[in-house]
Amino acid sequence: MDQPVNGKTTVVLTGATAGIGRALAHALAARDVVVLAKWAIEGLTRGLALELPSDLAAVALSPGVVDTAMLRACLPDVAAPTPEAWARLAAPQLLALDRRHNGRSITISA
């Protein structure tokens, strides 16, 4: 990349994943296509990380728990930040990602 992004020369590519794609992938993958897809993103990200040039990084990113209609329908008793509150929490964590995170699985922490 010719121009730095936010004063950095590293560009971080992220793949959206979820904690369930890491923790339960082996137990549920045969029964749940969503878990299988999340596990695939984990593996794809790790493989991609091995092939990238030094100014790029790949990270499997799990947003963590966010208050959405789907979450309320599935787990009504779980407390979670609104999407707006999540964005305020996530922005500094996302902007801190760099080459050191290449190939890692990251979860946005509240």
Side-chain angles (χ1 to χ4, degrees):
M1 196 159 196
D2 294 317
Q3 299 296 318
V5 177
N6 294 328
K8 300 178 183 179
T9 56
T10 300
V11 174
V12 179
L13 310 170
T14 62
T17 185
I20 196 168
R22 297 178 199 148
L24 302 175
H26 300 293
L28 298 178
R31 294 179 284 170
D32 191 335
V33 70
V34 173
V35 174
L36 182 62
K38 298 300 183 183
W39 186 241
I41 291 191
E42 293 280 334
L44 176 68
T45 301
R46 290 178 190 174
L48 178 62
L50 296 172
E51 302 296 327
L52 291 174
S54 63
D55 60 341
L56 296 177
V59 174
L61 179 71
S62 171
V65 181
V66 181
D67 183 20
T68 62
M70 184 172 140
L71 177 70
R72 287 189 303 275
C74 297
L75 301 169
D77 297 329
V78 172
T82 64
E84 295 80 11
W86 177 89
R88 286 189 297 277
L89 292 167
Q93 295 175 58
L94 293 171
L95 291 172
L97 295 175
D98 61 24
R99 181 72 183 156
R100 293 170 297 155
H101 299 94
N102 191 38
R104 292 184 48 196
S105 296
I106 305 292
T107 300
I108 298 299
S109 53

